[in-house]
Amino acid sequence: MDLGLQGKTIVVTGGSSGIGLATVRAALTEGANVAFCARGAERLERVASELAGEFGADKLLAQAFSVLDPEANIAFAAQVAERFGTCDALITNAGQGRVSTYADTSDADWRDELELKFFSQLHPIRAFEAQLRASGTGSITAVNSLLAYQPEAHMVCTSAARAGVQSLLKSLAGELAPAIRVNSILVGLIDSQQWQRRFDAREDQSQSREEWFGNLARRKAIPLGRLGNPEEAARALVFLASPAASYITGARLEISGGVSRFV
Ligand code: NDP
């Protein structure tokens, strides 16, 4: 199947690691130009130079900034327009989860989490909206979590914020149609830097990576018996972002190995 991405421009937020990096790579493999960002300049530059060696520096634009900085998003959008003409697809991936319960989440934690989850969508979307409208095949695809529909007590504010983001995306799918399609993926457990950090901080340091991840998959009762890998999420993102998904908007796709319990 031809995804129709040859020569199109895809913007990926949080592209220096995990799902975002796999998405950058998958989009480049499909022949798209890719602009991506992350806060940490060192890792971003290292990744960009590796990708430039593989795909050509003319296909890439990497910029270090936080998606929570509205001016930086606007400046990035201007750079993308100057370099590639317009943005055809925006993939909002930047972020991380917060592990805390109702009892140990302060007001400041709630505000930080709500700000991260909502404005990591709103700032890039506002910055790229005009370009996406001009594209003719504009799309926004958000990385969200199963926690939106299946909250967990140990991630109370992340779960609540994720549900709110699904509501926002549904509204946008109506308001931005027909010019821009808006979809999301709902991620279960994907073996990325987030989980690597939790593995590194494990209580029993004698446990191997294989044992620790195997136990995690069993504890979470994942029907497919393992965590997903970033490439498995990336393939779904690139499809939803592409012209091949031209009649899909307001939709969500689970990438979870079957771990959801809702119908
Ligand atoms: P990683 O930690 O591997 O990658 C996160 C990426 O986002 C990095 O490039 C990071 O770079 C960047 N980033 C984080 N915050 C910002 C910011 N404010 N501005 C710009 N870039 C930022 O994590 P994942 O690949 O796992 O996560 C990708 C998305 O998937 C996240 O939104 C996460 O919450 C979500 N998710 C992941 C799950 C999983 O199991 N892996 C489960 C549910 C949701 P830097 O730190 O340098 O900014």
Side-chain angles (χ1 to χ4, degrees):
M1 178 169 61
D2 178 9
L3 297 183
L5 285 171
Q6 194 69 40
K8 298 273 185 188
T9 297
I10 299 193
V11 171
V12 181
T13 66
S16 67
S17 167
I19 297 169
L21 175 55
T23 304
V24 169
R25 186 176 282 282
L28 287 165
T29 304
E30 290 298 320
N33 307 311
V34 179
F36 64 112
C37 71
R39 293 163 304 177
E42 201 183 312
R43 180 168 61 174
L44 186 74
E45 279 159 22
R46 179 164 30 84
V47 161
S49 96
E50 279 168 23
L51 292 168
E54 215 175 316
F55 297 96
D58 58 321
K59 304 289 287 179
L60 279 173
L61 176 64
Q63 183 66 41
F65 67 93
S66 170
V67 288
L68 298 184
D69 176 347
E71 300 305 324
N73 281 281
I74 290 166
F76 184 49
Q79 275 185 293
V80 171
E82 194 184 317
R83 179 76 180 280
F84 298 123
T86 198
C87 165
D88 300 291
L90 170 65
I91 296 180
T92 50
N93 162 76
Q96 61 189 50
R98 177 182 289 270
V99 177
S100 67
T101 64
Y102 165 73
D104 61 24
T105 308
S106 68
D107 285 1
D109 292 339
W110 274 101
R111 287 196 184 92
D112 284 352
E113 186 61 359
L114 293 171
E115 184 186 3
L116 174 63
K117 292 298 181 288
F118 282 100
F119 286 100
S120 64
Q121 302 296 330
L122 288 166
H123 290 325
I125 289 170
R126 283 188 186 132
F128 284 98
E129 183 184 338
Q131 292 184 42
L132 292 167
R133 283 187 184 281
S135 154
T137 59
S139 69
I140 296 164
T141 315
V143 176
N144 206 353
S145 164
L146 269 191
L147 293 173
Y149 296 92
Q150 197 161 282
E152 293 200 18
H154 74 288
M155 293 184 81
V156 66
C157 56
T158 290
S159 301
R162 294 284 190 201
V165 167
Q166 280 307 104
S167 170
L168 167 67
L169 296 170
K170 197 64 163 177
S171 296
L172 288 178
E175 191 166 336
L176 301 182
I180 305 172
R181 297 180 299 104
V182 183
N183 296 294
S184 63
I185 65 164
L186 300 181
V187 169
L189 281 77
I190 300 287
D191 183 358
S192 68
Q193 275 301 314
Q194 285 204 81
W195 284 104
Q196 182 64 37
R197 284 192 292 272
R198 291 175 202 171
F199 167 70
D200 290 342
R202 67 197 180 285
E203 264 174 37
D204 177 4
Q205 287 283 326
S206 71
Q207 259 191 344
S208 70
R209 197 173 195 282
E210 202 181 356
E211 283 170 335
W212 192 85
F213 277 93
N215 288 339
L216 179 61
R218 273 188 291 280
R219 205 169 63 244
K220 297 285 182 182
I222 302 173
L224 292 187
R226 60 173 178 85
L227 272 68
N229 59 55
E231 291 71 27
E232 290 172 313
R235 286 199 290 273
L237 284 169
V238 170
F239 166 68
L240 287 171
S242 77
S246 51
Y247 202 54
I248 303 178
T249 197
R252 56 181 205 243
L253 180 56
E254 290 178 35
I255 315 293
S256 74
V259 82
S260 67
R261 295 287 173 267
F262 53 89
V263 179

